[in-house]
């Protein structure tokens, strides 16, 4: 199961919900590309080095949030791969990116509006290319729905993945939950359930012309 999305699109939340299902292994970003079947073996090896594989596991999960990592669906048996695509609105996403990287000890380009906006634009252009290349081979949802209407969304994802057991709005905490570079490190992730209230980024100001590009 692959989630094609971008940073700060509630991907850690949906990853933990999926990864808590008895038939799904994986919940965080492995920073891998998938161009051949051998990459699936590498995925399994990397994941199982940190987490035990579930005895009833049917799927491995990973998310791709950066243009550095390709997913070439034509290289795989169509019955082997299930893909989900998700986008969060520009202003929320970019302000969240700025907030995240401004809080880091080291100086990072994404702490500046121009770099954060460029990341979002370039990522969505690549996601659009992906969706045009593989029509009908992915399930799409708006990223905020996982918080706003999980009861409406989760059964649809369950159906797309062909799972008999329903997803829960509560999720497990794993060894990599909240760790740097693999997902959301905020306190909300440690709640073990969906927190509907979203962070208010009103204090973060972005040039309207720059935001309009996104």
């Amino acid at each position: 199961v692959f989630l094609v999305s971008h940073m700060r699109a509630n991907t850690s939340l949906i990853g933990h919900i999926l990864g808590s299902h008895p038939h799904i292994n994986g919940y965080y970003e492995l920073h891998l590309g998938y161009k051949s079947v051998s990459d699936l073996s590498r995925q399994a090896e990397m994941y199982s080095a940190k987490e035990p594989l579930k005895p009833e596991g049917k799927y491995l999960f990973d998310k791709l949030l950066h243009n550095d990592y390709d997913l070439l669906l034509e290289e795989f048996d169509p019955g082997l791969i299930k893909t989900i695509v998700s986008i969060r609105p520009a202003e929320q996403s970019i302000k969240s990116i700025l907030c995240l990287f401004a809080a880091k000890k080291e100086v990072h380009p994404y702490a500046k509006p121009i770099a954060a906006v460029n990341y979002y634009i370039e990522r969505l252009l690549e996601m659009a290319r992906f969706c045009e290349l593989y029509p009908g081979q992915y399930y799409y949802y708006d990223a905020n729905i996982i918080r706003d209407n999980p009861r409406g969304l989760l059964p649809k994802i369950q159906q797309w993945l062909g799972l008999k057991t329903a997803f829960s709005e509560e999720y497990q905490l794993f060894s990599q939950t909240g760790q740097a570079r693999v997902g959301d490190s905020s306190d909300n992730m440690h709640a073990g359930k969906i927190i509907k209230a979203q962070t208010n980024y009103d204090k973060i100001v972005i040039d309207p012309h720059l935001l309009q590009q996104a």
Side-chain angles (χ1 to χ4, degrees), residues 16-18 20-21 154 166-171 192 194:
H16 275 69
I17 290 172
L18 267 60
S20 296
H21 192 281
L154 293 177
F167 290 106
S168 172
E169 294 181 36
E170 298 183 353
Y171 55 83
I194 296 172

Side-chain angles (χ1 to χ4, degrees), residues 102-120:
K104 294 185 179 294
K105 294 180 180 179
E106 68 278 7
V107 178
H108 195 284
Y110 289 159
K112 300 293 184 181
I114 291 178
V117 168
N118 284 341
Y119 159 80
Y120 185 85

Side-chain angles (χ1 to χ4, degrees), residues 49-93:
K50 294 185 177 180
E51 299 283 355
L53 293 175
K54 299 171 184 175
E56 298 180 3
K58 177 181 179 182
Y59 287 120
L60 275 165
F61 168 83
D62 195 7
K63 55 183 180 178
L64 295 91
L65 311 182
H66 303 274
N67 290 349
D68 295 333
Y69 309 113
D70 293 321
L71 174 58
L72 305 183
L73 294 183
E74 67 271 18
E75 297 299 322
F76 303 98
D77 180 336
L80 201 64
I81 303 294
K82 294 288 187 179
T83 306
I84 303 168
V85 175
S86 182
I87 293 173
R88 190 182 183 194
E91 185 170 3
Q92 293 176 336
S93 301

Side-chain angles (χ1 to χ4, degrees), residues 3-214:
L3 173 61
V4 177
S5 188
H6 56 84
M7 291 191 295
R8 314 309 290 167
N10 298 318
T11 63
S12 291
L13 178 58
I14 192 69
H16 275 69
I17 290 172
L18 267 60
S20 296
H21 192 281
H23 298 317
I24 299 178
N25 293 288
Y27 57 94
Y28 67 94
E29 185 179 9
L30 290 170
H31 298 280
L32 290 175
Y34 297 90
K35 300 180 180 181
S36 69
V37 175
S38 63
D39 290 324
L40 300 180
S41 299
R42 190 158 60 111
Q43 176 193 15
E45 182 179 352
M46 285 185 64
Y47 179 76
S48 61
K50 294 185 177 180
E51 299 283 355
L53 293 175
K54 299 171 184 175
E56 298 180 3
K58 177 181 179 182
Y59 287 120
L60 275 165
F61 168 83
D62 195 7
K63 55 183 180 178
L64 295 91
L65 311 182
H66 303 274
N67 290 349
D68 295 333
Y69 309 113
D70 293 321
L71 174 58
L72 305 183
L73 294 183
E74 67 271 18
E75 297 299 322
F76 303 98
D77 180 336
L80 201 64
I81 303 294
K82 294 288 187 179
T83 306
I84 303 168
V85 175
S86 182
I87 293 173
R88 190 182 183 194
E91 185 170 3
Q92 293 176 336
S93 301
I94 293 164
K95 286 185 175 181
S96 184
I97 291 170
L98 291 170
C99 184
L100 171 69
F101 286 96
K104 294 185 179 294
K105 294 180 180 179
E106 68 278 7
V107 178
H108 195 284
Y110 289 159
K112 300 293 184 181
I114 291 178
V117 168
N118 284 341
Y119 159 80
Y120 185 85
I121 292 172
E122 291 169 6
R123 183 58 185 154
L124 260 67
L125 287 172
E126 177 59 24
M127 289 175 64
R129 186 199 66 81
F130 176 88
C131 292
E132 289 172 351
L133 192 60
Y134 303 116
Q137 296 185 54
Y138 59 89
Y139 175 80
Y140 174 84
Y141 73 93
D142 291 343
N144 286 336
I145 293 179
I146 187 56
R147 294 187 187 276
D148 296 339
N149 184 22
R151 292 183 182 180
L153 174 64
L154 293 177
K156 294 178 181 178
I157 295 179
Q158 177 192 345
Q159 182 179 15
W160 176 251
L161 299 182
L163 297 171
K164 294 181 180 179
T165 307
F167 290 106
S168 172
E169 294 181 36
E170 298 183 353
Y171 55 83
Q172 296 174 243
L173 301 182
F174 301 93
S175 69
Q176 302 302 300
T177 300
Q179 297 296 314
R181 292 200 78 249
V182 298
D184 189 354
S185 57
S186 70
D187 292 338
N188 282 350
M189 277 309 305
H190 292 276
K193 61 181 180 180
I194 296 172
I195 304 296
K196 291 196 174 184
Q198 301 211 41
T199 305
N200 188 321
Y201 298 111
D202 287 348
K203 293 183 179 179
I204 299 177
V205 178
I206 305 174
D207 184 304
H209 297 291
L210 194 60
L211 190 59
Q212 181 60 35
Q213 295 176 39

